[in-house]
Amino acid sequence: MNQDGHRDAGRLERRARWLLRAYPAGYRAGRGDEIIGTLLEATPPGRDWPSSREAVSLVAAGLHARRAANLRQGLAASLRQTAVVGAAVYLAQLPTLAIGAAVWSAHRGHFLYLWSHEYQGAFFELAILAIALLAAAWRGRRELVAAAAVAALILAVIATVRTQEWDLMRVLAEFAGPAVPVFLVFARRTERPPARLLWLLLLPVAVASAESLANVGPALFAAPTALTTLLFPYASDLAVVTVIVAACWLATDVRPLAGLVLAFTVTRVMYGFVYLSSTGTAATAVISGWIAALVILAGALAWLLRRRTRACASTTS
Amino acid sequence: MTEPPMREPTFYVLAALLRGPLHGYAIMKRAEEQSGGRVKLATGTLYTALDRLTAEGQVQLVSEERVGGRVRRTYALTERGSAALRAEAVRMAEAAQLVIGQARETTAGPLARKLRTT
């Protein structure tokens, strides 16, 4: 009986600690043990699950603590981090294109060809440099961002001169073009985006993978970029899940959703410039529409962030 | 600027500390006892309230001990918390007086009769 009691308490504690993950890590480190101790005392012996009332209360209090922690940093820092997150999600499409190309080539049975051909090799090196650039931006190391950007430019110029193909320059301009200036202006070592937002960078990979599975590989360069495929029917399930997750997150932290909206909007604008203008469709209308949407969204987000910061200031005063 | 009325859980958390410092679980138990079983604080709610009250200077941490390998912290009411609690009690008494006083003045009604006998 006594042994059973110990086992129940162990299980209860494990489950309670799992629920405690709703709190920010810093809070858990300081208060986690105390909260668990109180919860164990408050739970009748023999139970190995916290009551539903306790579970709901822990998760709600955890989200409340997260929200408070996010609001404490102020509007300017929030907007800077949002810009960096958005630019990072946008730039993450460059390595994603490389993955798409690899899937496409592997499907056609000439995977090794990717590395033997000089132009393809340069494209993959560019993708690796883009990952280095992302890492440097996320850590707030602006000097490393500049170094990686210069290296990528040199690589693209050399490959372009040798192969007389402009595609690599175009890819660099399309993806690094909007992202690098944002990193150089807004990235700060003292206010890095939290590590838990890193999964957002996998979003373009996830969308491109869904596309690859559904469509057996996007055509290299000719395919629309990863985030634009959110509009296509076969990626719609993923898009719905993403929107639900992002909407839930909005309840505690506005930065991830704002970053996604920025990345998506810039993608659409660039898509309008690069692809639609070359095919001679109504590019101007599309581009101006998306620029207007970008301005409206940016204004709405700034208003939302300001309102939340004010709400925070009034509760702490 | 007038203070907004205190929420019921906050009132009972502060009231639980009137007789002396307590740790988290003891606060929960006393709040339940003192409210006649009506205020059953969940752990998450209790610590959200304690965080806020500590930040507002109404409650303070007075001691830390280790029980069964875990930290157990004891909290006490500050002068500020005590004043806020007293102000809320006065407000509630005045609100109650408004109704009870009028009920006594009327000659009929079950509430007035009940109040007269008690």
Side-chain angles (χ1 to χ4, degrees):
Chain A
M1 178 66 203
N2 200 14
Q3 249 185 353
D4 280 354
H6 276 300
R7 207 179 311 138
D8 288 346
R11 246 184 254 155
L12 175 65
E13 177 168 354
R14 247 194 340 271
R15 286 161 183 166
R17 282 197 187 279
W18 190 77
L19 288 172
L20 208 66
R21 299 185 71 86
Y23 284 90
Y27 188 98
R28 273 206 306 274
R31 261 275 171 75
D33 266 3
E34 189 189 354
I35 294 178
I36 291 288
T38 302
L39 181 76
L40 293 184
E41 278 185 287
T43 307
R47 275 194 76 115
D48 59 357
W49 278 98
S51 69
S52 55
R53 201 173 68 92
E54 285 285 7
V56 169
S57 138
L58 271 188
V59 172
L63 294 180
H64 185 273
R66 272 182 196 269
R67 183 165 171 269
N70 289 327
L71 291 178
R72 219 168 285 135
Q73 67 182 343
L75 177 66
S78 254
L79 287 176
R80 278 196 290 272
Q81 285 190 358
T82 300
V84 170
V85 169
V89 173
Y90 180 76
L91 181 61
Q93 293 178 94
L94 203 167
T96 305
L97 271 184
I99 296 173
V103 170
W104 181 79
S105 302
H107 178 69
R108 278 159 183 75
H110 37 79
F111 195 67
L112 289 174
Y113 170 80
L114 283 175
W115 291 101
S116 60
H117 192 271
E118 183 178 16
Y119 173 72
Q120 296 280 17
F123 176 55
F124 279 86
E125 283 157 20
L126 196 64
I128 290 165
L129 270 177
I131 292 173
L133 216 158
L134 276 174
W138 203 270
R139 308 282 297 175
R141 302 287 298 266
R142 280 184 282 188
E143 71 285 1
L144 293 182
V145 168
V150 169
L153 186 64
I154 292 171
L155 180 77
V157 167
I158 291 174
T160 306
V161 169
R162 279 204 189 145
T163 61
Q164 296 294 307
E165 292 209 43
W166 284 89
D167 278 351
L168 221 50
M169 288 299 278
R170 204 189 66 199
V171 167
L172 190 68
E174 186 183 348
F175 293 106
V180 170
V182 171
F183 292 148
L184 290 178
V185 173
F186 295 118
R188 299 271 191 287
R189 286 177 80 161
T190 48
E191 45 180 57
R192 293 181 281 205
R196 71 196 153 81
L197 297 189
L198 270 172
W199 73 271
L200 286 171
L201 300 188
L202 292 178
L203 203 67
V205 181
V207 176
S209 307
E211 185 194 21
S212 298
L213 287 175
N215 209 25
V216 201
L220 179 59
F221 298 133
T225 50
L227 287 183
T228 61
T229 61
L230 277 171
L231 293 180
F232 293 148
Y234 46 76
S236 61
D237 293 348
L238 196 68
V240 168
V241 173
T242 308
V243 168
I244 291 171
V245 169
C248 292
W249 214 333
L250 184 64
T252 60
D253 187 356
V254 76
R255 288 169 299 170
L257 187 63
L260 277 182
V261 167
L262 275 180
F264 185 68
T265 309
V266 173
T267 303
R268 291 302 304 175
V269 171
M270 293 305 282
Y271 179 68
F273 270 122
V274 175
Y275 295 100
L276 296 188
S277 58
S278 63
T279 53
T281 46
T284 324
V286 173
I287 291 166
S288 50
W290 279 101
I291 288 174
L294 178 70
V295 170
I296 292 167
L297 278 171
L301 288 169
W303 174 79
L304 191 63
L305 278 166
R306 185 180 289 266
R307 206 176 55 122
R308 290 166 70 108
T309 311
R310 276 208 196 124
C312 173
S314 67
T315 52
T316 50
S317 64
Chain B
M1 202 176 91
T2 53
E3 292 282 319
M6 197 180 272
R7 294 241 201 99
E8 197 174 33
T10 310
F11 180 82
Y12 280 102
V13 167
L14 292 178
L17 296 172
L18 263 181
R19 277 195 268 162
L22 291 175
H23 59 81
Y25 178 55
I27 296 174
M28 284 162 82
K29 267 202 318 195
R30 188 164 292 171
E32 189 175 346
E33 279 165 24
Q34 290 187 333
S35 66
R38 203 175 62 253
V39 174
K40 288 192 174 104
L41 292 167
T43 312
T45 320
L46 170 74
Y47 282 99
T48 305
L50 282 178
D51 284 341
R52 188 170 47 78
L53 292 170
T54 310
E56 290 170 357
Q58 300 195 29
V59 161
Q60 65 182 1
L61 178 68
V62 285
S63 71
E64 253 185 45
E65 51 177 348
R66 293 198 80 81
V67 178
R70 278 193 206 90
V71 176
R72 176 186 267 181
R73 296 191 177 98
T74 304
Y75 301 87
L77 206 57
T78 62
E79 267 182 38
R80 196 169 173 182
S82 192
L85 183 61
R86 193 161 296 279
E88 178 65 11
V90 167
R91 193 192 65 78
M92 283 161 73
E94 282 172 1
Q97 194 55 45
L98 187 74
V99 176
I100 294 167
Q102 284 190 13
R104 281 205 178 122
E105 280 164 22
T106 55
T107 48
L111 178 63
R113 244 175 281 132
K114 196 180 166 198
L115 284 167
R116 231 174 267 146
T117 55
T118 52

